[in-house]
Amino acid sequence: MSQSASLVKRLAGPSTGKAGLAQDQSEINRIIAEASKGSKFYDREKQKDKELTAKIETLLAQRDVLLARTPDLSRIEAKADQILLKLKAERDLSQTIVHFDLDSFFASVEVLNDPSLAGKAFAVGHSVISTASYEARKFGVRSGMATFIAKKLCPHLLMVDHGLTSYSEMSRKVMEICKRYDPQMCPAGCDEGYLNITAYCAERNISADDAVQHLRTAVYEETQLTVSAGIAPNLMLAKICSDKNKPNGQYHLPFDEDAIMEFMCDLPIRKIPGIGRVSERLLESIGIKTCGDIYARRATLSLMDKQFGLVYLLHKYLGIGSNCVEPPQREERKSIGAERTFAPLSDKEKIVEKLHEVCAELEADMAETQWAGRTVTLKYKLDTFEVHTRAKTCDRYLSKQEDLFAIGYELLLAELPMTCRLIGIRLTKLKDLREPSTGIRRFFESASEPLSPSKKRKIDHSVSDDDSDEGNFIAKPRSKPASSTSGSASTHPCPVCEKQVPIENDAFNAHLDSCLSRDAISQAQSATSTTPASPQQGSGNLLERWANLAPKKKTKK
DNA sequence: CACCACATC
DNA sequence: CCTCGATGTGGTG
């Protein structure tokens, strides 16, 4: 049974769709599958693939039933068309949005630190690759890939540890430069962000292309880093566009409905932020591979709105999305956690010790960020790579290591014996110790902010008033960034995690070190360990989810 | 509320 | 040490 094509693809990793390496992608996939075989990781992936395949069968069976009982498809399509008309009416081409993205950020910084790396196939990371140089990418090496697999693809691959270098410093510099083009700049991780350059261009009477070219030149001259950028009427499109001419290039999507429709038409749905591997397969199962297929299959999607989210997808098909760029607002953190991966352990004492470490880490983090929480969630990953979570909610807010450990231990005991490779503790239902009175604080916040003057539109995926029968809805978009301001007078946002950190040098530097030390495995981002911070993505942007959504709407009438 | 799946950098 | 870590959203029961 040959491992299904889907499994091979899954093993190839999440960031496979990149252009550039095309040709021997199948050979690369073969090597990856070959190297993975027999490992527990592989077994787990195989199982997940199987589960998904089963889910798809169910889905198709449902679809068939629905189609069979729906004699008049044209009527369903007409309804979808009506929604499309309504959505088109909300298209807003008035704002010029830019998404900028540093090219292989970590790797580029490493080259600056060690010029001898220039032109070589190397990757930043430990057991997992954070970022691969473009030379390494030619061999199929990608971020998120296990190092031993990468070595199979590229035997002479050089591994560079990240850490000593200051990614945050470079990130901060770049962000500062970008802010010149839009003070409301919204960072989305340490190597990318969004800008609304409408005003910038208008005031100087220059084209968006020139402004972005100017920005990219400034970044290069001041940091020696190259950036790619996308220019489009909304965040979603801008993000997709920044990838178009990726290393060191920019792409400007014409601000014209027809051009946008043409652009979307053949765009693989996987390119849409929010559509990952699983969603891609589910959609593919009903014949949707490109955004244009969304239209072709609108009847099916309409019938299976709950499973797919019709309106959400129609927005994508139309290339419509939020065009609102705002800096991260108040801290709206939902959870704080810490976790650690280690060689599989079966010994209770050893596992408990790990739990202890993680609790200590979390306590330090919470103290630093001034949070407390009521729900403790224990997370563990078995040596089979299966992940489980167990949670318990308390009456009072916790933040002390002893308390965290006590609850975590209780939750853990119920699971033993087991052999695990990761233990994590997370707190949710948070309370901000810094701002005791949320109500008051929000009051001041809103009072001091001029209610956004130029309000751009944040797309609401729900079809507003719907008319007819069951309205279909999609998940709601949300946008909220996080973190950031709020600090007391003597704090400053950390350039990496954006958390407020006491400004005194020692504390600030210590925080930076800890913040950078962990880092990133994946690409860059995140704040790390102990410090949490900005949810990047999830935040400021669009990320809407469609998975299953849909509340049923109602309201009507 | 507990748990899970998915997504992103 | 060995296929990450941190965080968010939303669905399900």
Side-chain angles (χ1 to χ4, degrees), chain A residues 234-336:
Chain A
N234 63 53
L235 313 223
M236 172 189 76
L237 292 173
K239 165 119 178 144
I240 294 170
C241 290
S242 68
D243 192 51
K244 206 85 179 164
N245 287 324
K246 189 119 219 350
N248 197 15
Q250 62 188 66
Y251 182 82
H252 184 172
L253 180 63
F255 283 42
D256 162 77
E257 172 156 352
D258 293 336
I260 294 173
M261 293 306 290
E262 190 182 326
F263 180 79
M264 298 306 294
C265 188
D266 297 314
L267 189 76
I269 47 169
R270 187 63 164 78
K271 295 282 187 185
I272 305 273
I275 301 221
R277 289 181 292 176
V278 172
S279 301
E280 177 186 35
R281 267 201 72 192
L282 291 175
L283 286 167
E284 184 182 36
S285 77
I286 57 168
I288 297 177
K289 291 187 110 142
T290 67
C291 292
D293 294 334
I294 290 170
Y295 179 75
R297 290 278 183 279
R298 63 195 184 289
T300 303
L301 292 175
S302 187
L303 290 172
M304 305 188 78
D305 179 33
K306 278 217 172 62
Q307 292 86 352
F308 293 101
L310 175 67
V311 177
Y312 168 83
L313 291 172
L314 290 181
H315 268 105
K316 302 312 174 193
Y317 161 66
L318 294 172
I320 290 178
S322 164
N323 61 5
C324 181
V325 176
E326 289 177 331
Q329 323 235 343
R330 61 190 187 297
E331 301 226 44
E332 282 208 14
R333 169 117 56 149
K334 295 293 174 35
S335 72
I336 305 189

Side-chain angles (χ1 to χ4, degrees), chain A residues 328-332 368-371 432-436 441 445 482-494 498-503:
Chain A
Q329 323 235 343
R330 61 190 187 297
E331 301 226 44
E332 282 208 14
E368 208 175 317
T369 51
Q370 288 289 287
W371 288 100
D432 189 340
L433 299 178
R434 210 188 276 143
E435 311 283 348
R441 177 167 167 235
E445 260 178 10
S483 90
S484 84
T485 36
S486 85
S488 38
S490 57
T491 65
H492 191 273
C494 162
E498 290 176 44
K499 163 176 77 181
Q500 292 293 328
V501 180
I503 198 93

Side-chain angles (χ1 to χ4, degrees), chain A residues 121-293:
Chain A
F122 75 96
V124 179
H126 291 282
S127 50
V128 171
I129 296 198
S130 285
T131 307
S133 66
Y134 280 91
E135 288 73 21
R137 293 183 193 195
K138 289 178 189 162
F139 293 84
V141 177
R142 292 182 282 276
S143 56
M145 180 179 276
T147 301
F148 78 89
I149 301 250
K151 289 269 191 183
K152 286 235 157 71
L153 292 170
C154 178
H156 59 291
L157 182 71
L158 238 54
M159 291 302 295
V160 177
D161 276 350
H162 41 29
L164 301 177
T165 48
S166 189
Y167 300 131
S168 70
E169 174 64 7
M170 293 306 259
S171 172
R172 191 186 56 68
K173 277 190 187 172
V174 173
M175 295 298 173
E176 285 308 315
I177 294 168
C178 293
K179 264 188 204 161
R180 297 174 196 162
Y181 301 81
D182 176 12
Q184 294 284 93
M185 187 262 306
C186 177
C190 69
D191 65 344
E192 62 178 280
Y194 294 92
L195 304 169
N196 181 333
I197 60 169
T198 312
Y200 183 92
C201 293
E203 286 161 16
R204 293 166 183 71
N205 193 30
I206 61 173
S207 69
D209 290 306
D210 290 347
V212 172
Q213 184 62 57
H214 189 271
L215 177 154
R216 293 178 47 240
T217 301
V219 169
Y220 185 71
E221 288 180 350
E222 296 176 43
T223 67
Q224 290 183 282
L225 293 173
T226 61
V227 215
S228 292
I231 305 165
N234 63 53
L235 313 223
M236 172 189 76
L237 292 173
K239 165 119 178 144
I240 294 170
C241 290
S242 68
D243 192 51
K244 206 85 179 164
N245 287 324
K246 189 119 219 350
N248 197 15
Q250 62 188 66
Y251 182 82
H252 184 172
L253 180 63
F255 283 42
D256 162 77
E257 172 156 352
D258 293 336
I260 294 173
M261 293 306 290
E262 190 182 326
F263 180 79
M264 298 306 294
C265 188
D266 297 314
L267 189 76
I269 47 169
R270 187 63 164 78
K271 295 282 187 185
I272 305 273
I275 301 221
R277 289 181 292 176
V278 172
S279 301
E280 177 186 35
R281 267 201 72 192
L282 291 175
L283 286 167
E284 184 182 36
S285 77
I286 57 168
I288 297 177
K289 291 187 110 142
T290 67
C291 292
D293 294 334

Side-chain angles (χ1 to χ4, degrees), chain A residues 469-491:
Chain A
D469 2 300
E470 43 188 31
N472 322 354
F473 276 41
I474 273 263
K476 35 209 355 60
R478 30 164 350 232
S479 58
K480 61 201 15 125
S483 90
S484 84
T485 36
S486 85
S488 38
S490 57
T491 65

Side-chain angles (χ1 to χ4, degrees), chain A residues 320-455:
Chain A
I320 290 178
S322 164
N323 61 5
C324 181
V325 176
E326 289 177 331
Q329 323 235 343
R330 61 190 187 297
E331 301 226 44
E332 282 208 14
R333 169 117 56 149
K334 295 293 174 35
S335 72
I336 305 189
E339 59 185 71
R340 180 153 305 169
T341 295
F342 39 79
L345 292 177
S346 303
D347 187 63
K348 176 181 168 185
E349 299 307 316
K350 297 261 179 57
I351 294 174
V352 170
E353 192 182 317
K354 293 294 180 189
L355 174 65
H356 219 268
E357 287 176 22
V358 170
C359 289
E361 209 172 298
L362 182 54
E363 179 194 54
D365 196 1
M366 304 206 44
E368 208 175 317
T369 51
Q370 288 289 287
W371 288 100
R374 287 181 51 213
T375 298
V376 178
T377 300
L378 169 75
K379 169 180 173 181
Y380 61 90
K381 185 188 284 181
L382 300 177
D383 60 342
T384 56
F385 285 91
E386 279 176 276
V387 177
H388 298 284
T389 56
R390 293 291 182 269
K392 180 172 179 178
T393 300
C394 307
D395 297 340
R396 64 199 180 86
Y397 286 96
L398 314 174
S399 60
K400 295 312 237 179
Q401 198 232 31
E402 308 89 77
D403 296 326
L404 302 180
F405 181 74
I407 310 269
Y409 183 68
E410 181 185 331
L411 294 169
L412 177 64
L413 272 190
E415 309 304 314
L416 295 174
M418 67 170 160
T419 301
C420 60
R421 55 166 14 250
L422 171 152
I423 285 288
I425 283 287
R426 173 164 301 279
L427 267 153
T428 49
K429 285 190 174 40
L430 303 178
K431 179 166 93 170
D432 189 340
L433 299 178
R434 210 188 276 143
E435 311 283 348
S437 172
T438 304
I440 301 267
R441 177 167 167 235
R442 294 208 181 174
F443 169 76
F444 279 114
E445 260 178 10
S446 57
S448 59
E449 254 163 56
L451 345 200
S452 54
S454 61
K455 149 141 269 68

